[in-house]
Amino acid sequence: MQPLVTRFPSRVAFKIPQVNPETDEINHWTGITFHQLLLDIEFLARYWFHVLKESSGIPQRSVIALCFRGYKYIDVVHVYAISRAGYIPLLINIFPNADYSVIQGRLEQANTRAFIYEPVYNDTVRDIPQIPCFTSVTVVHPNDYPLPDLPHVTGSDIAIIYQSSGTTSGKSKIIPFNFTWPDRCVRKITEARSDFAKVDIVSWRGSVGYMPQFIGITMHRTSCMVQYKSGWPSTSEIVDIVNRCQTRQLFSHPVLLREHIRVSRTDPETLRALSSVDVISYTGGGLGSNEDEEWAWRNGINLVNVYGSTECGGLLISEGLRKSRQNYLKRFPGPSFIKFIPISNDSDLLELVVPPEAPECPDVSFRSSDGNYHTNDPFREVEPGSYAFCGRNDDWFNMRSCKLCDTKAIEDNARSLCGDIISDCVVVGNGRSSPVLVVEACSLNPALNESELKTKIFDRIRPFHSTRYPHESIASMDMIFVVSSATLPRTVTKATVRRRVVEETMKERLDKLFS
């Protein structure tokens, strides 16, 4: 941060919206310079060092959990301030929307020494046992506390820890990153930029509790980042930041981006705004609609797809619709160590693997016995050096929150616990706020009516879902659909249920449920 302040002290780092409380409209944006950002970080570092070390006796290099909604400038300052105070930030992104039991094991695993949370969570956080809890500050105030000396660290020491969604266990996991890892990510991205001093105006990426936003701030460290009112900006707000802030780069998630593109079909002002920016990047899977991508291509909306993960950051990127109608994924410019290996001898699918020598390779605790990090994600090489993402063997899909839901774990649990009353099941709800379990009633149990069957199923699976995140749990009997035995569409060769077909046939029913 200090080199940036020395070179560009008066350059605006953030534009913060000032919202009219009566109309809920943005009056204007306040600029925060790099000089002011550094002052805010240091003032907050002084404060938290006083609270954590001098008042509570928590030594530097301890893990401090931070729980914010993550869409405000002050949240960003907190992350950097805790680090500047000599501590290791652990970013919590699902609590308190999920029960404390979901994250308790992860906090203990990281040996968390304190919990700092946004004041809005007072009623929930006060019940956390054994860990000192502090409310975050909402405004940075100058203070006379001494700025602490930085502890000695090496590139291999942990700098920050992110909490991520679990896989088949349904439990969260913590992902540590050392001091070298972010620098490698930045170098990889900036190798493609010839002018380090160039100023870009970019949009906020999402909650600071998620890796993409942290990398976005780090990657665009010489640029200005425009903050939204909330984490889910409306299409009108997107148009507003393009027009009034001259934003040149937008970042979005597929579900939101589809909504913006569809509005542009009937609203010329939205179309003009989306087509005027240099690039609109999106992550979290494909756009999911060839029709939307076709419209974007024909109207000059430059969509760029980025494939990555919390563990590795960005691994592949497309050239953008203005360069290629196909918009296939390719390796980032510069040296690349990632590999594609055949999933099986009788398939053209390839798995993306990150070897240990790759700068993106995550902590050794996430690597397999062969030393590589296996993404388990299948791709197909459609042209030499160009790849199409093939999903996750249809076992995962993106929820409306842009988090992944492990459908296979839900299905396996239902089959295991309800095999005597259902003949099969499938999970649908791609892009929805919650998954839906579609079950085939067992023909051997005709005595149960639909309501009784749903009650039995829900009672049996409830313990499993009580430990899962809200975005990947069956939270009520309304999330269980019942169909007759042997009526779910299946493949001819393996007789497996065709999830996408079920999703399409259930669309009206799903729309009604989530309306």
Side-chain angles (χ1 to χ4, degrees):
M1 184 65 68
Q2 186 65 57
L4 285 177
V5 175
T6 301
R7 294 184 63 182
F8 314 112
S10 60
R11 180 175 291 182
V12 176
F14 289 94
K15 288 189 176 184
I16 312 303
Q18 305 302 312
V19 181
N20 186 321
E22 296 181 359
T23 64
D24 197 38
E25 298 293 330
I26 298 175
N27 289 335
H28 63 278
W29 281 263
T30 299
I32 305 291
T33 65
F34 280 103
H35 175 68
Q36 185 62 52
L37 172 61
L38 179 61
L39 288 179
D40 290 344
I41 291 172
E42 290 184 343
F43 278 131
L44 207 53
R46 297 168 192 261
Y47 169 79
W48 281 115
F49 182 77
H50 171 76
V51 171
L52 297 172
K53 178 67 168 63
E54 298 180 0
S55 298
S56 304
I58 301 173
Q60 288 182 310
R61 298 297 296 154
S62 297
V63 175
I64 308 298
L66 305 177
C67 180
F68 312 120
R69 283 173 292 188
Y71 300 111
K72 298 177 181 177
Y73 166 73
I74 190 66
D75 301 336
V76 174
V77 176
H78 264 92
V79 176
Y80 283 95
I82 291 299
S83 179
R84 177 59 187 87
Y87 295 93
I88 303 171
L90 164 58
L91 281 298
I92 302 298
N93 58 43
I94 65 161
F95 182 79
N97 295 320
D99 293 338
Y100 173 66
S101 60
V102 174
I103 67 166
Q104 181 178 2
R106 304 311 106 193
L107 296 179
E108 294 172 352
Q109 180 184 347
N111 193 26
T112 305
R113 297 294 301 274
F115 196 99
I116 298 173
Y117 62 94
E118 195 173 353
V120 72
Y121 298 146
N122 267 325
D123 291 340
T124 309
V125 175
R126 66 184 178 185
D127 296 326
I128 294 181
Q130 299 175 344
I131 302 176
C133 295
F134 307 94
T135 56
S136 63
V137 301
T138 55
V139 179
V140 178
H141 295 289
N143 58 69
D144 296 326
Y145 300 125
L147 186 66
D149 293 331
L150 286 169
H152 174 73
V153 295
T154 66
S156 60
D157 289 324
I158 295 175
I160 190 169
I161 303 172
Y162 270 81
Q163 179 195 26
S164 179
S165 179
T167 53
T168 55
S169 66
K171 297 180 180 179
S172 64
K173 57 185 176 181
I174 58 172
I175 304 174
F177 296 96
N178 60 33
F179 283 95
T180 303
W181 192 89
D183 186 58
R184 289 172 173 174
C185 289
V186 171
R187 281 207 305 267
K188 181 180 68 175
I189 298 297
T190 54
E191 279 180 356
R193 296 180 60 185
S194 58
D195 183 7
F196 179 75
K198 179 183 177 182
V199 179
D200 280 326
I201 301 179
V202 304
S203 72
W204 201 268
R205 282 177 172 238
S207 171
V208 73
Y210 293 96
M211 176 53 68
Q213 174 66 13
F214 173 74
I215 290 297
I217 294 172
T218 309
M219 180 177 68
H220 296 281
R221 53 187 175 179
T222 61
S223 300
C224 172
M225 185 164 281
V226 182
Q227 180 186 319
Y228 296 123
K229 288 191 300 182
S230 66
W232 289 84
S234 65
T235 302
S236 61
E237 187 175 354
I238 293 292
V239 173
D240 200 23
I241 72 164
V242 171
N243 291 339
R244 289 203 281 167
C245 297
Q246 288 78 54
T247 306
R248 304 310 307 159
Q249 294 189 44
L250 297 175
F251 300 92
S252 188
H253 297 288
V255 173
L256 274 178
L257 183 53
R258 286 198 299 269
E259 293 177 4
H260 302 326
I261 291 175
R262 288 169 185 175
V263 172
S264 74
R265 291 171 177 267
T266 56
D267 180 37
E269 181 65 14
T270 299
L271 178 58
R272 189 208 62 78
L274 296 185
S275 60
S276 70
V277 298
D278 295 335
V279 62
I280 304 177
S281 299
Y282 65 96
T283 59
L287 195 57
S289 170
N290 290 331
E291 187 178 341
D292 290 333
E293 190 162 295
E294 175 73 18
W295 168 265
W297 173 71
R298 285 193 286 107
N299 289 276
I301 302 174
N302 193 29
L303 302 183
V304 171
N305 188 9
V306 180
Y307 165 82
S309 67
T310 303
E311 293 85 352
C312 301
L315 294 172
L316 300 169
I317 188 169
S318 70
E319 293 181 304
L321 286 178
R322 288 180 188 162
K323 288 188 177 181
S324 169
R325 169 62 189 91
Q326 288 72 32
N327 215 19
Y328 294 134
L329 292 165
K330 300 176 182 286
R331 290 174 169 85
F332 275 85
S336 176
F337 297 89
I338 60 174
K339 301 183 295 186
F340 289 90
I341 62 174
I343 289 179
S344 64
N345 293 330
D346 58 351
S347 172
D348 64 346
L349 292 179
L350 306 169
E351 181 198 0
L352 192 156
V353 174
V354 185
E357 64 270 20
E360 305 92 346
C361 196
D363 185 78
V364 65
S365 60
F366 291 94
R367 303 175 193 176
S368 300
S369 58
D370 61 4
N372 298 311
Y373 174 73
H374 288 261
T375 65
N376 296 315
D377 287 347
F379 293 80
R380 183 173 287 109
E381 189 169 18
V382 288
E383 294 176 358
S386 298
Y387 301 89
F389 180 54
C390 299
R392 290 169 170 83
N393 292 320
D394 204 28
D395 288 335
W396 298 78
F397 53 49
N398 276 290
M399 308 306 296
R400 180 172 175 78
S401 62
C402 300
K403 298 178 182 179
L404 289 173
C405 175
D406 181 5
T407 63
K408 186 176 184 297
I410 299 174
E411 293 162 357
D412 289 347
N413 174 259
R415 292 187 187 107
S416 173
L417 300 179
C418 308
D420 59 326
I421 53 177
I422 66 173
S423 57
D424 208 342
C425 64
V426 64
V427 172
V428 296
N430 185 29
R432 311 282 182 169
S433 57
S434 300
V436 169
L437 179 65
V438 183
V439 301
E440 283 184 342
C442 183
S443 59
L444 299 178
N445 271 290
L448 290 175
N449 61 39
E450 180 174 328
S451 177
E452 292 170 336
L453 179 61
K454 291 171 65 172
T455 299
K456 279 185 173 289
I457 293 171
F458 186 69
D459 287 344
R460 293 182 187 183
I461 67 175
R462 183 185 298 177
F464 172 78
H465 288 273
S466 66
T467 64
R468 294 172 67 83
Y469 296 146
H471 73 273
E472 58 175 3
S473 64
I474 306 298
S476 72
M477 287 188 290
D478 291 335
M479 304 300 172
I480 301 174
F481 292 174
V482 176
V483 298
S484 301
S485 178
T487 57
L488 288 174
R490 288 170 166 80
T491 60
V492 176
T493 54
K494 296 184 178 180
T496 54
V497 178
R498 302 172 62 190
R499 186 190 316 280
R500 292 185 181 180
V501 177
V502 177
E503 187 94 39
E504 293 170 1
T505 57
M506 294 279 181
K507 184 180 184 304
E508 290 186 6
R509 192 170 175 183
L510 290 168
D511 288 344
K512 183 177 180 181
L513 176 65
F514 293 106
S515 62

